[in-house]
């Protein structure tokens, strides 16, 4: 994508990664691709805010060249160390050796531990300012949103917030702005991003948004480091983040199971019937056939989760085990959970699932439901009742 002026003398110079389908070590499927956004602010001094992933370094440099010769860059603001935003820094800095890199102390440490280069680095803290000429930049440390080094940059003259990963979306598009894309797809990707990356950090995010609100800085535009820029109504994504960070949920249950010969699947389908019979919104996923990123996204707005597995070698099946490891890491505090599954001669899956999620802030509201071999009519009725009771436990 070519450079584009998003505000007078502020250019989007990042790249669109149309082909990426996995992110963060295959923990996140990016079905709509992504982008690595970088912004060039041209004033008496010139600042580049963030870079892109290393394979796209030349495209970033070419975009910068459309606006200014790279050697004229005075400052590079490194809001975040992660390589999707810093990978191109060695190539860019080779072209602008006089540029000073600005970031938090943790950023300095992290960049050194990635690239082992002694760049001219200035550490900044919250409220520090950098004068560029007519414009200035100020900085807001944002540790653990989502790395210790993370930082937001703010330009008061344009009321522009550059928050790096926060408010981003893995959403490849030829458009640059929120008002140019399908709104459902946009919010779906924003929610997916929050659920799969930021969910465990809700308390930190809530505090940071409240801190920014207390700073009383007007925000007319939010330009994140992934996806499109929020210009039509930046409050829309801020309010969505507030809701997600507060753990706002609705009467919805996500049922996730893995089955060996179909018995646990029969149980899951009857449980869903029970839940739906009392008006609960339900989503059912066979984890072995489903996109884990999509399941996690559906779970963010759900009050309860039910997990099912057949027993195999006194343990749960491997796909549900891998999935529950992700759930454990997300620490879905306050959600109600339950377990079910079939077994042959000895059980084990239910206890393994219970143990795995025993310390992640969830609450098990019903005794786990086990069925030997294949459920008969009475046992299927018991599954239906299990769904009804779980729904009632959500009230
Ligand atoms: Fe988009 Fe935390 O990197």
């Amino acid at each position: 994508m070519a450079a584009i002026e998003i505000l007078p003398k502020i250019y989007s110079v990042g790249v669109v990664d149309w082909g990426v389908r996995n992110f963060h070590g295959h923990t996140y499927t990016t079905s709509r691709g992504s982008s690595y956004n970088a912004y060039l602010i041209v004033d008496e001094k010139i600042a580049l805010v963030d870079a892109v992933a290393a394979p796209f370094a030349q495209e970033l440099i070419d975009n910068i060249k459309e606006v200014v010769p790279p050697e004229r860059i005075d400052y590079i603001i490194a809001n975040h160390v992660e390589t999707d935003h810093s990978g191109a820094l060695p190539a860019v800095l080779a072209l602008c050796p006089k540029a000073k890199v600005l970031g938090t102390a943790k950023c300095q440490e992290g960049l050194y531990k990635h690239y082992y280069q002694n760049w001219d680095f200035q550490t900044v803290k919250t409220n520090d300012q950098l004068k560029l000429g007519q414009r200035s930049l100020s900085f807001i440390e944002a540790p653990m949103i989502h790395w210790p080094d993370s930082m937001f940059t703010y330009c008061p003259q344009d009321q522009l917030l550059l928050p790096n990963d926060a408010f981003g979306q893995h959403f490849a598009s030829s458009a640059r702005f929120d008002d140019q894309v399908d709104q459902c797809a946009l919010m779906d990707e924003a929610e997916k991003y929050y659920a799969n990356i930021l969910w465990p950090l809700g308390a930190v995010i809530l505090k940071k948004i409240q801190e920014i609100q207390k700073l009383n800085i007007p925000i007319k535009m939010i330009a994140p480091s992934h996806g499109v820029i929020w210009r039509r109504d930046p409050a829309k994504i801020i309010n969505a983040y507030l809701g997600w960070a507060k753990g706002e949920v609705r009467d919805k249950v996500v049922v996730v199971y893995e089955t060996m010969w179909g018995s646990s699947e029969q149980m899951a389908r009857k449980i869903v019937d029970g839940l739906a019979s009392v008006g609960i919104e339900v989503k059912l996923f066979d984890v072995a056939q489903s996109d884990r990123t999509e399941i996690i996204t559906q779970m963010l707005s759900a009050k309860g989760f039910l997990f099912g597995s057949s027993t195999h070698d006194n343990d749960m099946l491997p796909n549900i085990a891998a999935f529950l490891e992700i759930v454990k890491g997300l620490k879905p505090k306050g959600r109600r959970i339950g377990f079910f599954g079939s077994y042959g001669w000895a059980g084990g899956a239910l206890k393994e699932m219970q143990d795995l999620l025993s310390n992640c802030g969830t609450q098990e509201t019903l005794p786990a439901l086990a069925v030997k071999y294949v459920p008969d009519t009475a046992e299927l009725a018991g599954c239906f009742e299990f769904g009804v009771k779980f729904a009632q436990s959500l009230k």
Side-chain angles (χ1 to χ4, degrees):
M1 292 292 288
I4 181 171
E5 195 169 24
I6 61 165
L7 286 165
K9 299 287 180 192
I10 299 183
Y11 301 85
S12 165
V13 289
V15 303
V16 178
D17 189 348
W18 295 96
V20 65
R21 288 294 177 269
N22 285 289
F23 214 80
H24 276 164
H26 289 251
T27 61
Y28 189 131
T29 55
T30 46
S31 53
R32 288 190 175 101
S34 191
S35 69
Y36 315 115
N37 302 341
Y39 301 96
L40 192 68
I41 304 175
V42 178
D43 206 318
E44 289 162 33
K45 299 284 186 184
I46 297 174
L48 174 68
V49 180
D50 292 318
V52 302
F56 298 91
Q58 190 56 50
E59 191 174 335
L60 169 67
I61 290 164
D62 290 344
N63 289 345
I64 293 169
K65 282 179 179 170
E66 288 181 20
V67 184
V68 294
E71 60 268 25
R72 284 189 55 207
I73 294 173
D74 298 284
Y75 303 108
I76 296 180
I77 315 301
N79 280 318
H80 183 25
V81 168
E82 198 162 11
T83 54
D84 49 331
H85 309 293
S86 70
L89 281 181
V92 173
L93 276 155
L95 298 177
C96 51
K98 72 172 176 125
K100 188 188 284 283
V101 183
L102 284 83
T104 63
K106 288 280 184 194
C107 179
Q108 182 176 26
E109 180 191 331
L111 285 179
Y112 183 77
K113 282 298 294 170
H114 277 77
Y115 304 106
Y116 298 97
Q117 303 218 18
N118 288 307
W119 293 320
D120 182 7
F121 199 100
Q122 180 182 330
T123 59
V124 293
K125 298 197 201 67
T126 296
N127 289 329
D128 283 355
Q129 304 231 341
L130 177 70
K131 281 289 284 179
L132 297 177
Q134 300 297 310
R135 286 187 167 93
S136 60
L137 299 176
S138 61
F139 307 105
I140 303 165
E141 292 166 274
M144 297 320 297
I145 307 176
H146 67 123
W147 277 22
D149 51 84
S150 298
M151 174 176 95
F152 299 172
T153 295
Y154 178 68
C155 179
Q157 292 78 17
D158 296 282
Q159 303 180 359
L160 168 67
L161 185 68
L162 301 150
N164 196 265
D165 279 331
F167 310 118
Q169 333 92 45
H170 285 309
F171 189 14
S173 173
S174 56
R176 303 294 172 89
F177 296 100
D178 55 349
D179 48 275
Q180 298 170 326
V181 298
D182 178 89
Q183 295 302 294
C184 291
L186 173 61
M187 290 313 292
D188 180 48
E189 290 303 330
E191 186 169 3
K192 191 184 291 182
Y193 192 95
Y194 184 95
N196 286 273
I197 296 180
L198 300 175
W199 190 341
L201 309 168
V204 184
I205 289 166
L206 193 55
K207 208 168 146 197
K208 184 55 59 181
I209 293 177
Q210 288 166 345
E211 179 192 319
I212 290 171
Q213 286 174 330
K214 275 189 198 140
L215 289 174
N216 218 13
I217 54 174
I219 296 173
K220 207 155 74 180
M221 183 182 285
I222 298 175
S225 60
H226 297 290
V228 296
I229 296 167
W230 305 91
R231 72 173 174 189
R232 180 160 72 180
D233 180 15
K236 181 177 179 180
I237 188 63
I238 293 173
N239 288 333
Y241 265 55
L242 282 171
W244 296 327
K246 286 176 185 165
E248 287 176 2
V249 289
R250 57 182 191 263
D251 285 342
K252 171 179 172 184
V253 173
V254 174
V255 183
V256 186
Y257 71 95
E258 185 170 10
T259 196
M260 186 184 292
W261 291 108
S263 292
S264 294
E265 182 173 23
Q266 283 190 57
M267 293 177 75
R269 294 177 74 89
K270 274 293 168 198
I271 289 169
V272 166
D273 289 348
L275 288 161
S277 73
V278 289
I280 293 281
E281 178 187 349
V282 196
K283 297 282 181 191
L284 175 66
F285 294 98
D286 173 352
V287 71
Q289 309 296 332
S290 305
D291 179 333
R292 289 182 206 158
T293 302
E294 179 58 32
I295 304 175
I296 296 293
T297 309
Q298 288 293 337
M299 288 168 68
L300 183 67
S301 55
K303 203 180 270 185
F305 318 138
L306 289 169
F307 301 114
S309 177
S310 317
T311 288
H312 177 255
D313 289 343
N314 301 112
D315 206 339
M316 66 189 113
L317 289 168
N319 289 291
I320 190 94
F323 179 73
L324 292 187
E325 282 291 347
I326 295 173
V327 174
K328 177 184 160 193
L330 292 173
K331 299 183 184 65
K333 290 193 183 82
R335 305 305 205 275
R336 312 290 173 85
I337 59 171
F339 302 95
F340 64 93
S342 67
Y343 66 100
W345 49 100
L350 300 184
K351 182 173 183 317
E352 291 298 324
M353 290 193 288
Q354 287 168 318
D355 288 351
L356 187 54
L357 298 187
S358 60
N359 288 311
C360 65
T362 53
Q363 184 192 350
E364 192 175 349
T365 55
L366 284 181
L369 180 66
V371 164
K372 188 171 177 119
Y373 290 124
V374 179
D376 61 19
T377 305
E379 286 165 330
L380 286 173
C383 292
F384 184 94
E385 196 54 30
F386 182 82
V388 171
K389 282 188 180 152
F390 187 73
Q392 288 164 347
S393 79
L394 302 180
K395 302 292 180 194

